[in-house]
Amino acid sequence: AVNTQGDSAYEEILLEVLDAKSIEMITPDVTLREGETAVFQVRINIYPSPSMSSIEWQKDGYPITPDPSSNKYLISVDRKTLSVNFVEARDSGRYRCNIRNSVYISNTY
């Protein structure tokens, strides 16, 4: 833009296009013996990055809350991996990872 004195001026702005692409369960269905460890991993292809998103693991529709005293459920720092240690019959079920960011909600089973 040019003002009445002939001076040009400009303002820069940042445009971010928020888009969420996909979440994919890397681990297929598993069958284990009691006492073994189940490991579930997801691949997340989204923008903003997963660090700008909410990532939650669930079992049969209920949030998994790791209990440090039991080490039953361990969730990695980046929240992309869930380990279920010392599996028992009651650990059978449907595990799901939910990803939420400002424009998208995605689930995987």
Side-chain angles (χ1 to χ4, degrees):
V2 177
N3 65 18
T4 56
Q5 285 80 28
D7 298 326
S8 62
Y10 66 92
E11 178 95 19
E12 290 184 9
I13 61 170
L14 174 65
L15 171 66
E16 284 188 280
V17 178
L18 302 177
D19 185 19
K21 295 296 184 196
S22 70
I23 174 173
E24 172 189 359
M25 183 69 79
I26 297 172
T27 309
D29 290 346
V30 295
T31 302
L32 299 172
R33 294 186 179 137
E34 286 195 350
E36 294 183 324
T37 297
V39 178
F40 302 100
Q41 287 187 293
V42 292
R43 179 178 298 122
I44 303 167
N45 301 310
I46 62 174
Y47 183 84
S49 69
S51 64
M52 297 176 67
S53 302
S54 166
I55 302 173
E56 176 187 70
W57 285 93
Q58 295 182 348
K59 177 185 180 278
D60 297 329
Y62 295 97
I64 293 174
T65 305
D67 179 2
S69 65
S70 74
N71 287 326
K72 180 66 171 182
Y73 297 108
L74 297 176
I75 298 175
S76 64
V77 174
D78 65 6
R79 305 195 61 80
K80 295 180 189 178
T81 304
L82 167 68
S83 298
V84 183
N85 296 310
F86 316 108
V87 297
E88 305 168 72
R90 67 184 177 140
D91 295 318
S92 295
R94 183 161 298 273
Y95 290 82
R96 175 168 79 178
C97 185
N98 296 327
I99 306 294
R100 252 189 203 115
N101 67 21
S102 56
V103 295
Y104 192 75
I105 299 173
S106 182
N107 304 309
T108 188
Y109 293 91

